[in-house]
Amino acid sequence: QKEVEQNSGPLSVPEGAIASLNCTYSDRGSQSFFWYRQYSGKSPELIMSIYSNGDKEDGRFTAQLNKASQYVSLLIRDSQPSDSATYLCAVKDQGGKLIFGQGTELSVKP
Amino acid sequence: DADVTQTPRNRITKTGKRIMLECSQTKGHDRMYWYRQDPGLGLRLIYYSFDVKDINKGEISDGYSVSRQAQAKFSLSLESAIPNQTALYFCATSDLRIGAYSNIGFGQPQHFGDGTRLSIL
């Protein structure tokens, strides 16, 4: 089993809809969770971090964390074509290493 | 200017050649990392360094070596390149701060360079 798993997609949503991206992780002791966005041919950029159970909102983005279920998600409200990218989930394990999922490709159709 | 600069941006070379990828940063961060990215596999850690005197192997260090010449510079070498080392390589930095983001290990989230696309024929 991979340490951090994401659906590879592509996930396609219409413009204005909510995009839901999911990630599960295997290290129950993980404390820090991050979402990166990566446009094609570009470097990853951090868009959200979350450390406590529950929701964390930043503009159109909401990160949700459930440590009991070892599950972290990213919701993008009012999706725009400019949100089309690959979204990488990253989890810091107990040893301090940042483990990345394989990424989910999101396509927002006008 | 970019905070994290990688050179070269693209490189095509032949099997068996020695290759060096360079990374420099102006963020003043102590911690630097090298990752490779392959389609469908996400980012995998090759080596990391917490300061000038510290070098650590990551998940996939075989076939690679690194040098931390200064706080701001961290280079990755492929001593004898092979085709399966064809990938997109990223350098990243992070800062160790006391506070909400403090932790042992990698500290707060990482800042990436623009990447080096390496092709080995």
Side-chain angles (χ1 to χ4, degrees):
Chain A
Q1 182 188 359
K2 283 190 173 182
E3 295 185 63
V4 179
E5 292 207 49
Q6 299 179 250
N7 291 327
S8 58
L11 173 66
S12 183
V13 300
E15 185 175 356
I18 296 174
S20 178
L21 304 163
N22 304 314
C23 174
T24 59
Y25 60 95
S26 61
D27 186 348
R28 188 170 289 277
S30 297
Q31 297 292 323
S32 306
F33 308 86
F34 309 97
W35 284 98
Y36 288 79
R37 178 177 61 200
Q38 185 176 24
Y39 292 112
S40 180
K42 302 295 185 181
S43 61
E45 57 177 324
L46 178 70
I47 53 172
M48 288 290 286
S49 58
I50 187 166
Y51 306 93
S52 304
N53 280 328
D55 295 358
K56 179 182 177 183
E57 187 175 318
D58 184 0
R60 295 186 297 111
F61 298 99
T62 299
Q64 299 175 317
L65 175 61
N66 184 326
K67 290 184 180 179
S69 299
Q70 295 173 242
Y71 177 90
V72 57
S73 65
L74 179 70
L75 301 178
I76 306 174
R77 291 183 299 282
D78 188 23
S79 295
Q80 301 297 310
S82 59
D83 295 326
S84 297
T86 295
Y87 289 80
L88 300 167
C89 173
V91 176
K92 190 190 298 184
D93 69 10
Q94 290 190 79
K97 296 193 302 294
L98 201 58
I99 309 297
F100 286 85
Q102 72 271 38
T104 297
E105 182 184 350
L106 173 66
S107 178
V108 181
K109 303 295 186 185
Chain B
D1 288 339
D3 293 326
V4 183
T5 302
Q6 291 184 233
T7 56
R9 292 295 314 279
N10 293 281
R11 177 80 184 270
I12 301 174
T13 191
K14 294 181 178 180
T15 297
K17 294 290 188 181
R18 184 178 187 274
I19 302 159
M20 180 180 287
L21 308 183
E22 298 190 359
C23 177
S24 63
Q25 51 114 348
T26 58
K27 299 189 75 66
H29 290 170
D30 288 323
R31 301 176 169 192
M32 299 187 73
Y33 314 82
W34 276 104
Y35 290 92
R36 67 177 278 177
Q37 187 173 36
D38 299 275
L41 293 179
L43 287 158
R44 292 183 292 166
L45 182 65
I46 306 172
Y47 270 97
Y48 60 101
S49 168
F50 285 173
D51 63 40
V52 175
K53 299 177 182 178
D54 177 75
I55 300 290
N56 302 282
K57 292 184 177 181
E59 180 186 353
I60 52 165
S61 59
D62 287 348
Y64 301 94
S65 63
V66 291
S67 174
R68 185 80 184 267
Q69 302 96 320
Q71 186 208 35
K73 295 183 183 297
F74 192 36
S75 60
L76 175 72
S77 294
L78 288 68
E79 297 301 325
S80 180
I82 56 177
N84 74 2
Q85 291 176 313
T86 293
L88 183 58
Y89 289 84
F90 287 105
C91 175
T93 73
S94 70
D95 194 11
L96 172 63
R97 292 181 185 274
I98 303 301
Y101 298 117
S102 69
N103 259 311
I104 62 169
F106 283 32
Q108 68 179 15
Q110 297 169 14
H111 305 266
F112 289 82
D114 289 335
T116 295
R117 189 167 296 279
L118 178 62
S119 297
I120 299 163
L121 306 177

